[in-house]
Amino acid sequence: EIQEDPRQEVCMKMLDDLAKQLEGYSPKMTRAPKAAPPKASSGGLFGGLFGGSKPSTPKPADAPAILQPMPGQIGLYLWGGTGTGKTFMMNMFYDKVKVSGKKRIHFHEWMIDVHSRLHKKQKGSSSNTNSTADDLVEQVAADMIKEAWLLCFDEFQVTHISDAIIMKRIFSVLFELGAVVVATSNRPPKDLYLNGLNRPLFTPFIPMLEAFCQVHDIGAEVDYRMCSIRDDEDDRVYISPNGPDEKKLLEAKFAKICGGHVRFGVQVETQGRRIVVPRVAENSDVAWFHFSDLCDKPLGAADYLAIGHAFHTVFIADIPRLTMQERDQVRRFITLIDTLYESHAKLICAADLDPISLFHVTEEERKTSVADEIFAWDRTVSRLMEMQSAAYLSAASRALSADQFLGQYKLKSLSDQDFKDLWRRYDQDDNGVLDMEEFQILLGDLMELQVGHRNISEELFQVCLEDLHSHGQTVTFQDFQRYLGDFATIETVIQEHLRPATAPQRAMA
């Protein structure tokens, strides 16, 4: 639901002005000639990025010209607390802006793509044998801007040294070629990578970002994602505390989806690494992990992204209370939730405490520490809360294919909660009834599950309507429950309708 918010109105005016500005903007896609580089060091890609070995007789060089934005190139960097509508506004801007060469992506994913391309450039071509680290970064930037020059980054943040050391180099090329950046973040540019390893290697990027983006503090006080939490405890997806009864509940939820058909030790591959998944449902892409499987091991954003892409539902058992003593686990858990959220995965978990209390930080730590985890946790709390909301769960269910969604249920013995979950998928406008178009989506799913296609003839549709016994052009929840409650009859009707005609009937036709 859209609510009036003066702070968001200011942001939307800025985004609207930028969209109009970009209609008349064209990137130049060329760079000024550069001086011959010094001899490449032998330190490899990251050795080159760190500077490699010093030349024995350094030559004085002219100071490089300060990169300045072209007319119309200045983008926008929106920052503010969690749940203030940043992603919502970004999506509206992206959908509206009349630019063909545009890309909207979570910043984590984009950096993974950058590193993947760098790795391929370094290893995959003999022509790159003598290339410096700068050369490889420039080649990647040139390739990427051909795909999109308007880059819309959600959750712009820097947490790893491997990202930090190439930020200035790759963005200097992108900006020189004419790229425009629109970004959302939880913190201002000056606080990016705060307290990070070798941060002086990153800080030159900050004034460049500020030169090419108008920086705006949203300053909103309301977390809109906290406004739609479901009250029904029967279908909890975040279960706490984590006592014996709660452990049994989580196991029961997983067992119900699997129906006794489970695979063990399945592996997900990403960037040459294999992640072991302890348990996977055979009938739908649903995975089971313990917290230790995901956060006690040296996994990163690419690993979690692979999990989010492989499974539409992820169970996580035994999430413990966290403190700064488990800083590595906290950092990984933050990244895990970010990637599952961006993948629109459904999270079902059991934790020792509610999201707000799960990460304990003392007042002294909060006052004196500059750890990024403390700052980022608010976003994690907000996302954990939103991932329990009716809106998020409905969107997640509607994104699945018919076989993945319906494969989670025993359609011939549905529980009251099953009917509610199914209704959530088909009441797509959340108005409490199904119209004929929504009812047809349901029939299409049932057809696809049984016969592999969604082609519903008018005759079959009318037969199903008669079996529904609905009054008027809408289907109530009671009608829906009564209709699906006799799934054997639905199967028979579909099969009889699709059964080939007898030979005499075909002759008469």
Side-chain angles (χ1 to χ4, degrees), residues 92-139:
M92 291 185 67
F93 166 78
Y94 184 82
D95 291 340
K96 174 184 177 181
V97 65
K98 297 177 181 178
V99 169
S100 57
K102 60 183 179 179
K103 186 180 187 73
R104 183 205 175 282
I105 191 169
H106 191 280
F107 193 70
H108 261 319
E109 287 190 55
W110 188 77
M111 287 307 306
I112 290 170
D113 187 27
V114 168
H115 287 293
S116 176
R117 293 181 189 228
L118 281 172
H119 182 73
K120 290 178 182 177
K121 292 282 186 186
Q122 187 183 35
K123 302 294 184 184
S125 174
S126 58
S127 62
N128 285 325
T129 303
N130 297 318
S131 296
T132 65
D134 273 349
D135 292 333
L136 298 179
V137 171
E138 289 171 11
Q139 290 172 30

Short mmCIF file of all heavy atoms in Angstrom, two decimals, residues 92-139:
data_model
loop_
_atom_site.label_atom_id
_atom_site.label_comp_id
_atom_site.label_asym_id
_atom_site.label_seq_id
_atom_site.Cartn_x
_atom_site.Cartn_y
_atom_site.Cartn_z
N MET A 92 10.48 2.12 -9.04
CA MET A 92 9.61 3.03 -9.78
C MET A 92 10.41 3.83 -10.80
O MET A 92 9.99 4.02 -11.95
CB MET A 92 8.88 3.96 -8.81
CG MET A 92 7.84 3.27 -7.95
SD MET A 92 6.90 4.41 -6.91
CE MET A 92 5.97 5.33 -8.13
N PHE A 93 11.58 4.32 -10.38
CA PHE A 93 12.45 5.07 -11.30
C PHE A 93 12.88 4.20 -12.47
O PHE A 93 12.81 4.62 -13.64
CB PHE A 93 13.67 5.59 -10.54
CG PHE A 93 14.78 6.09 -11.43
CD1 PHE A 93 14.71 7.33 -12.02
CD2 PHE A 93 15.90 5.30 -11.67
CE1 PHE A 93 15.72 7.80 -12.86
CE2 PHE A 93 16.92 5.75 -12.49
CZ PHE A 93 16.83 7.00 -13.09
N TYR A 94 13.34 2.99 -12.16
CA TYR A 94 13.86 2.11 -13.19
C TYR A 94 12.78 1.76 -14.22
O TYR A 94 13.04 1.71 -15.43
CB TYR A 94 14.42 0.83 -12.56
CG TYR A 94 15.07 -0.10 -13.55
CD1 TYR A 94 16.39 0.11 -13.96
CD2 TYR A 94 14.39 -1.19 -14.08
CE1 TYR A 94 17.00 -0.74 -14.87
CE2 TYR A 94 14.98 -2.04 -15.00
CZ TYR A 94 16.29 -1.82 -15.39
OH TYR A 94 16.89 -2.65 -16.29
N ASP A 95 11.56 1.51 -13.74
CA ASP A 95 10.48 1.18 -14.66
C ASP A 95 10.10 2.36 -15.54
O ASP A 95 9.69 2.18 -16.69
CB ASP A 95 9.24 0.71 -13.88
CG ASP A 95 9.45 -0.65 -13.20
OD1 ASP A 95 10.36 -1.38 -13.63
OD2 ASP A 95 8.72 -0.94 -12.24
N LYS A 96 10.25 3.57 -15.02
CA LYS A 96 9.81 4.75 -15.75
C LYS A 96 10.84 5.29 -16.72
O LYS A 96 10.50 5.75 -17.82
CB LYS A 96 9.42 5.87 -14.76
CG LYS A 96 9.07 7.18 -15.46
CD LYS A 96 8.79 8.30 -14.48
CE LYS A 96 8.52 9.61 -15.22
NZ LYS A 96 8.25 10.73 -14.31
N VAL A 97 12.12 5.26 -16.35
CA VAL A 97 13.13 5.97 -17.12
C VAL A 97 13.23 5.40 -18.53
O VAL A 97 13.31 4.19 -18.74
CB VAL A 97 14.51 5.92 -16.40
CG1 VAL A 97 15.05 4.49 -16.31
CG2 VAL A 97 15.52 6.84 -17.08
N LYS A 98 13.19 6.28 -19.52
CA LYS A 98 13.18 5.87 -20.93
C LYS A 98 14.61 5.75 -21.46
O LYS A 98 15.08 6.59 -22.24
CB LYS A 98 12.36 6.86 -21.75
CG LYS A 98 10.89 6.92 -21.34
CD LYS A 98 10.13 7.97 -22.12
CE LYS A 98 8.66 8.03 -21.68
NZ LYS A 98 7.92 9.10 -22.41
N VAL A 99 15.27 4.71 -20.97
CA VAL A 99 16.65 4.44 -21.38
C VAL A 99 16.73 2.96 -21.73
O VAL A 99 16.28 2.10 -20.95
CB VAL A 99 17.63 4.75 -20.23
CG1 VAL A 99 19.02 4.22 -20.52
CG2 VAL A 99 17.68 6.26 -19.99
N SER A 100 17.27 2.66 -22.89
CA SER A 100 17.37 1.25 -23.28
C SER A 100 18.57 0.56 -22.63
O SER A 100 18.49 -0.61 -22.23
CB SER A 100 17.46 1.12 -24.80
OG SER A 100 18.57 1.86 -25.29
N GLY A 101 19.69 1.26 -22.50
CA GLY A 101 20.90 0.66 -21.92
C GLY A 101 20.94 0.81 -20.42
O GLY A 101 21.77 1.54 -19.87
N LYS A 102 20.02 0.12 -19.72
CA LYS A 102 19.95 0.26 -18.27
C LYS A 102 20.01 -1.11 -17.61
O LYS A 102 19.66 -2.12 -18.21
CB LYS A 102 18.67 0.99 -17.85
CG LYS A 102 17.37 0.28 -18.26
CD LYS A 102 16.15 1.10 -17.87
CE LYS A 102 14.85 0.40 -18.32
NZ LYS A 102 13.64 1.16 -17.92
N LYS A 103 20.46 -1.12 -16.36
CA LYS A 103 20.57 -2.37 -15.61
C LYS A 103 20.30 -2.09 -14.15
O LYS A 103 20.88 -1.16 -13.57
CB LYS A 103 21.97 -2.97 -15.77
CG LYS A 103 22.16 -4.35 -15.13
CD LYS A 103 23.58 -4.84 -15.36
CE LYS A 103 23.77 -6.28 -14.90
NZ LYS A 103 23.12 -7.24 -15.81
N ARG A 104 19.39 -2.88 -13.54
CA ARG A 104 19.14 -2.77 -12.11
C ARG A 104 19.64 -4.05 -11.46
O ARG A 104 19.27 -5.16 -11.86
CB ARG A 104 17.64 -2.61 -11.82
CG ARG A 104 17.32 -2.42 -10.35
CD ARG A 104 15.92 -2.85 -10.02
NE ARG A 104 15.64 -2.78 -8.60
CZ ARG A 104 16.06 -3.67 -7.70
NH1 ARG A 104 16.79 -4.70 -8.08
NH2 ARG A 104 15.77 -3.52 -6.41
N ILE A 105 20.47 -3.93 -10.44
CA ILE A 105 21.08 -5.12 -9.85
C ILE A 105 21.51 -4.82 -8.41
O ILE A 105 21.85 -3.68 -8.08
CB ILE A 105 22.31 -5.57 -10.70
CG1 ILE A 105 22.82 -6.94 -10.27
CG2 ILE A 105 23.41 -4.52 -10.67
CD1 ILE A 105 23.84 -7.55 -11.22
N HIS A 106 21.46 -5.84 -7.57
CA HIS A 106 21.99 -5.72 -6.22
C HIS A 106 23.51 -5.58 -6.32
O HIS A 106 24.16 -6.27 -7.10
CB HIS A 106 21.61 -6.95 -5.41
CG HIS A 106 21.87 -6.83 -3.95
ND1 HIS A 106 23.13 -7.00 -3.41
CD2 HIS A 106 21.06 -6.54 -2.90
CE1 HIS A 106 23.07 -6.83 -2.10
NE2 HIS A 106 21.82 -6.55 -1.77
N PHE A 107 24.08 -4.68 -5.54
CA PHE A 107 25.51 -4.40 -5.69
C PHE A 107 26.37 -5.63 -5.44
O PHE A 107 27.40 -5.83 -6.10
CB PHE A 107 25.92 -3.25 -4.75
CG PHE A 107 27.30 -2.71 -5.08
CD1 PHE A 107 27.51 -2.00 -6.24
CD2 PHE A 107 28.36 -2.94 -4.23
CE1 PHE A 107 28.78 -1.51 -6.56
CE2 PHE A 107 29.63 -2.46 -4.53
CZ PHE A 107 29.83 -1.75 -5.70
N HIS A 108 25.96 -6.49 -4.49
CA HIS A 108 26.67 -7.75 -4.24
C HIS A 108 26.81 -8.55 -5.54
O HIS A 108 27.88 -9.04 -5.89
CB HIS A 108 25.90 -8.61 -3.23
CG HIS A 108 26.43 -8.53 -1.83
ND1 HIS A 108 27.77 -8.50 -1.53
CD2 HIS A 108 25.78 -8.49 -0.63
CE1 HIS A 108 27.92 -8.45 -0.22
NE2 HIS A 108 26.72 -8.43 0.35
N GLU A 109 25.67 -8.69 -6.25
CA GLU A 109 25.66 -9.49 -7.47
C GLU A 109 26.55 -8.87 -8.53
O GLU A 109 27.25 -9.57 -9.27
CB GLU A 109 24.23 -9.62 -8.00
CG GLU A 109 23.33 -10.53 -7.21
CD GLU A 109 22.03 -10.79 -7.94
OE1 GLU A 109 22.07 -11.24 -9.10
OE2 GLU A 109 20.97 -10.53 -7.36
N TRP A 110 26.52 -7.56 -8.63
CA TRP A 110 27.32 -6.89 -9.65
C TRP A 110 28.81 -7.09 -9.40
O TRP A 110 29.57 -7.37 -10.34
CB TRP A 110 26.99 -5.39 -9.66
CG TRP A 110 27.61 -4.64 -10.80
CD1 TRP A 110 27.19 -4.63 -12.10
CD2 TRP A 110 28.75 -3.79 -10.75
NE1 TRP A 110 28.00 -3.83 -12.86
CE2 TRP A 110 28.97 -3.30 -12.06
CE3 TRP A 110 29.61 -3.38 -9.73
CZ2 TRP A 110 30.02 -2.43 -12.36
CZ3 TRP A 110 30.65 -2.53 -10.04
CH2 TRP A 110 30.85 -2.06 -11.33
N MET A 111 29.24 -7.00 -8.15
CA MET A 111 30.65 -7.21 -7.85
C MET A 111 31.06 -8.66 -8.09
O MET A 111 32.19 -8.93 -8.54
CB MET A 111 30.95 -6.82 -6.39
CG MET A 111 30.96 -5.32 -6.13
SD MET A 111 32.04 -4.35 -7.22
CE MET A 111 33.62 -5.16 -7.02
N ILE A 112 30.17 -9.60 -7.84
CA ILE A 112 30.46 -11.00 -8.17
C ILE A 112 30.70 -11.13 -9.67
O ILE A 112 31.63 -11.82 -10.12
CB ILE A 112 29.31 -11.90 -7.71
CG1 ILE A 112 29.27 -11.98 -6.18
CG2 ILE A 112 29.45 -13.31 -8.30
CD1 ILE A 112 28.02 -12.65 -5.65
N ASP A 113 29.87 -10.46 -10.45
CA ASP A 113 30.02 -10.50 -11.91
C ASP A 113 31.35 -9.87 -12.33
O ASP A 113 32.04 -10.38 -13.22
CB ASP A 113 28.84 -9.76 -12.55
CG ASP A 113 28.82 -9.90 -14.07
OD1 ASP A 113 29.35 -10.92 -14.57
OD2 ASP A 113 28.29 -9.01 -14.75
N VAL A 114 31.72 -8.77 -11.70
CA VAL A 114 32.99 -8.11 -12.01
C VAL A 114 34.16 -9.06 -11.78
O VAL A 114 35.04 -9.24 -12.64
CB VAL A 114 33.17 -6.82 -11.17
CG1 VAL A 114 34.61 -6.30 -11.28
CG2 VAL A 114 32.19 -5.74 -11.62
N HIS A 115 34.20 -9.69 -10.62
CA HIS A 115 35.31 -10.60 -10.30
C HIS A 115 35.32 -11.80 -11.24
O HIS A 115 36.40 -12.27 -11.63
CB HIS A 115 35.21 -11.05 -8.84
CG HIS A 115 35.58 -9.99 -7.85
ND1 HIS A 115 36.85 -9.50 -7.73
CD2 HIS A 115 34.82 -9.31 -6.95
CE1 HIS A 115 36.88 -8.58 -6.79
NE2 HIS A 115 35.65 -8.44 -6.29
N SER A 116 34.14 -12.29 -11.60
CA SER A 116 34.07 -13.42 -12.52
C SER A 116 34.65 -13.05 -13.88
O SER A 116 35.41 -13.81 -14.49
CB SER A 116 32.62 -13.88 -12.66
OG SER A 116 32.50 -14.91 -13.61
N ARG A 117 34.32 -11.85 -14.35
CA ARG A 117 34.84 -11.40 -15.65
C ARG A 117 36.34 -11.17 -15.58
O ARG A 117 37.06 -11.47 -16.55
CB ARG A 117 34.12 -10.12 -16.07
CG ARG A 117 32.63 -10.31 -16.39
CD ARG A 117 32.01 -9.00 -16.83
NE ARG A 117 30.56 -9.07 -16.93
CZ ARG A 117 29.86 -8.62 -17.98
NH1 ARG A 117 30.49 -8.07 -19.02
NH2 ARG A 117 28.56 -8.68 -18.00
N LEU A 118 36.81 -10.61 -14.48
CA LEU A 118 38.26 -10.41 -14.33
C LEU A 118 39.00 -11.74 -14.37
O LEU A 118 40.05 -11.86 -15.01
CB LEU A 118 38.55 -9.69 -13.00
CG LEU A 118 38.32 -8.18 -12.95
CD1 LEU A 118 38.46 -7.67 -11.52
CD2 LEU A 118 39.30 -7.46 -13.87
N HIS A 119 38.43 -12.72 -13.70
CA HIS A 119 39.06 -14.04 -13.66
C HIS A 119 39.13 -14.64 -15.07
O HIS A 119 40.16 -15.20 -15.47
CB HIS A 119 38.27 -14.96 -12.73
CG HIS A 119 38.86 -16.33 -12.59
ND1 HIS A 119 40.00 -16.59 -11.88
CD2 HIS A 119 38.44 -17.53 -13.10
CE1 HIS A 119 40.28 -17.88 -11.95
NE2 HIS A 119 39.35 -18.46 -12.68
N LYS A 120 38.06 -14.51 -15.82
CA LYS A 120 38.04 -15.05 -17.19
C LYS A 120 39.03 -14.30 -18.08
O LYS A 120 39.69 -14.91 -18.92
CB LYS A 120 36.63 -14.95 -17.76
CG LYS A 120 35.64 -15.91 -17.11
CD LYS A 120 34.24 -15.73 -17.68
CE LYS A 120 33.25 -16.66 -16.99
NZ LYS A 120 31.86 -16.44 -17.49
N LYS A 121 39.11 -12.97 -17.91
CA LYS A 121 40.06 -12.19 -18.72
C LYS A 121 41.48 -12.62 -18.43
O LYS A 121 42.32 -12.72 -19.33
CB LYS A 121 39.90 -10.70 -18.41
CG LYS A 121 38.60 -10.08 -18.88
CD LYS A 121 38.61 -9.80 -20.36
CE LYS A 121 37.36 -9.05 -20.79
NZ LYS A 121 37.30 -8.89 -22.27
N GLN A 122 41.77 -12.86 -17.16
CA GLN A 122 43.13 -13.20 -16.77
C GLN A 122 43.54 -14.59 -17.24
O GLN A 122 44.67 -14.80 -17.66
CB GLN A 122 43.26 -13.10 -15.25
CG GLN A 122 44.70 -13.27 -14.75
CD GLN A 122 44.78 -13.24 -13.24
OE1 GLN A 122 43.86 -13.72 -12.58
NE2 GLN A 122 45.85 -12.69 -12.71
N LYS A 123 42.59 -15.53 -17.19
CA LYS A 123 42.92 -16.92 -17.48
C LYS A 123 42.56 -17.36 -18.89
O LYS A 123 43.13 -18.32 -19.40
CB LYS A 123 42.19 -17.84 -16.49
CG LYS A 123 42.52 -17.57 -15.02
CD LYS A 123 43.96 -17.89 -14.71
CE LYS A 123 44.24 -17.70 -13.21
NZ LYS A 123 45.67 -17.92 -12.89
N GLY A 124 41.62 -16.67 -19.51
CA GLY A 124 41.02 -17.24 -20.71
C GLY A 124 41.58 -16.82 -22.03
O GLY A 124 41.17 -17.34 -23.06
N SER A 125 42.50 -15.87 -22.10
CA SER A 125 42.97 -15.39 -23.40
C SER A 125 44.47 -15.19 -23.39
O SER A 125 45.03 -14.57 -22.49
CB SER A 125 42.27 -14.07 -23.74
OG SER A 125 42.81 -13.51 -24.92
N SER A 126 45.11 -15.72 -24.42
CA SER A 126 46.57 -15.55 -24.53
C SER A 126 46.93 -14.10 -24.77
O SER A 126 48.04 -13.65 -24.45
CB SER A 126 47.11 -16.41 -25.67
OG SER A 126 46.46 -16.07 -26.89
N SER A 127 46.00 -13.30 -25.31
CA SER A 127 46.28 -11.89 -25.58
C SER A 127 46.42 -11.09 -24.30
O SER A 127 46.92 -9.97 -24.31
CB SER A 127 45.16 -11.28 -26.44
OG SER A 127 43.92 -11.33 -25.75
N ASN A 128 45.96 -11.67 -23.17
CA ASN A 128 46.05 -10.96 -21.89
C ASN A 128 47.28 -11.35 -21.08
O ASN A 128 47.40 -10.98 -19.92
CB ASN A 128 44.79 -11.23 -21.05
CG ASN A 128 43.59 -10.45 -21.57
OD1 ASN A 128 43.73 -9.33 -22.04
ND2 ASN A 128 42.41 -11.06 -21.50
N THR A 129 48.18 -12.11 -21.69
CA THR A 129 49.35 -12.60 -20.96
C THR A 129 50.16 -11.46 -20.36
O THR A 129 50.61 -11.54 -19.21
CB THR A 129 50.25 -13.44 -21.89
OG1 THR A 129 49.48 -14.51 -22.44
CG2 THR A 129 51.43 -14.01 -21.11
N ASN A 130 50.34 -10.38 -21.13
CA ASN A 130 51.16 -9.27 -20.66
C ASN A 130 50.32 -8.10 -20.15
O ASN A 130 50.84 -6.99 -19.98
CB ASN A 130 52.09 -8.79 -21.79
CG ASN A 130 53.07 -9.87 -22.21
OD1 ASN A 130 53.64 -10.56 -21.36
ND2 ASN A 130 53.26 -10.03 -23.52
N SER A 131 49.03 -8.33 -19.94
CA SER A 131 48.17 -7.24 -19.48
C SER A 131 48.40 -6.96 -18.01
O SER A 131 48.59 -7.88 -17.21
CB SER A 131 46.70 -7.61 -19.69
OG SER A 131 46.41 -7.76 -21.06
N THR A 132 48.37 -5.69 -17.65
CA THR A 132 48.46 -5.31 -16.24
C THR A 132 47.07 -5.48 -15.60
O THR A 132 46.06 -5.68 -16.29
CB THR A 132 48.90 -3.86 -16.10
OG1 THR A 132 47.89 -3.00 -16.66
CG2 THR A 132 50.22 -3.62 -16.82
N ALA A 133 47.05 -5.38 -14.28
CA ALA A 133 45.77 -5.43 -13.57
C ALA A 133 44.86 -4.30 -14.05
O ALA A 133 43.66 -4.49 -14.21
CB ALA A 133 46.01 -5.34 -12.07
N ASP A 134 45.44 -3.11 -14.27
CA ASP A 134 44.65 -1.99 -14.78
C ASP A 134 44.03 -2.32 -16.13
O ASP A 134 42.87 -2.01 -16.40
CB ASP A 134 45.53 -0.74 -14.93
CG ASP A 134 45.62 0.05 -13.64
OD1 ASP A 134 44.83 -0.25 -12.72
OD2 ASP A 134 46.46 0.95 -13.55
N ASP A 135 44.81 -2.95 -17.00
CA ASP A 135 44.30 -3.30 -18.32
C ASP A 135 43.08 -4.21 -18.22
O ASP A 135 42.08 -4.01 -18.93
CB ASP A 135 45.39 -4.02 -19.14
CG ASP A 135 46.55 -3.10 -19.50
OD1 ASP A 135 46.32 -1.88 -19.59
OD2 ASP A 135 47.67 -3.61 -19.68
N LEU A 136 43.16 -5.20 -17.35
CA LEU A 136 42.06 -6.15 -17.21
C LEU A 136 40.80 -5.47 -16.68
O LEU A 136 39.69 -5.72 -17.15
CB LEU A 136 42.46 -7.31 -16.30
CG LEU A 136 43.64 -8.17 -16.78
CD1 LEU A 136 43.94 -9.26 -15.76
CD2 LEU A 136 43.33 -8.79 -18.13
N VAL A 137 40.97 -4.61 -15.68
CA VAL A 137 39.82 -3.88 -15.13
C VAL A 137 39.20 -3.00 -16.20
O VAL A 137 37.97 -2.91 -16.33
CB VAL A 137 40.26 -3.05 -13.90
CG1 VAL A 137 39.12 -2.13 -13.45
CG2 VAL A 137 40.66 -3.96 -12.75
N GLU A 138 40.04 -2.34 -17.00
CA GLU A 138 39.52 -1.47 -18.05
C GLU A 138 38.77 -2.27 -19.11
O GLU A 138 37.73 -1.83 -19.62
CB GLU A 138 40.68 -0.70 -18.69
CG GLU A 138 41.26 0.36 -17.77
CD GLU A 138 42.54 0.96 -18.32
OE1 GLU A 138 42.85 0.70 -19.51
OE2 GLU A 138 43.24 1.67 -17.58
N GLN A 139 39.26 -3.45 -19.43
CA GLN A 139 38.57 -4.30 -20.41
C GLN A 139 37.19 -4.72 -19.89
O GLN A 139 36.20 -4.71 -20.63
CB GLN A 139 39.42 -5.54 -20.72
CG GLN A 139 40.68 -5.26 -21.50
CD GLN A 139 41.56 -6.49 -21.60
OE1 GLN A 139 41.07 -7.63 -21.61
NE2 GLN A 139 42.86 -6.29 -21.69
#
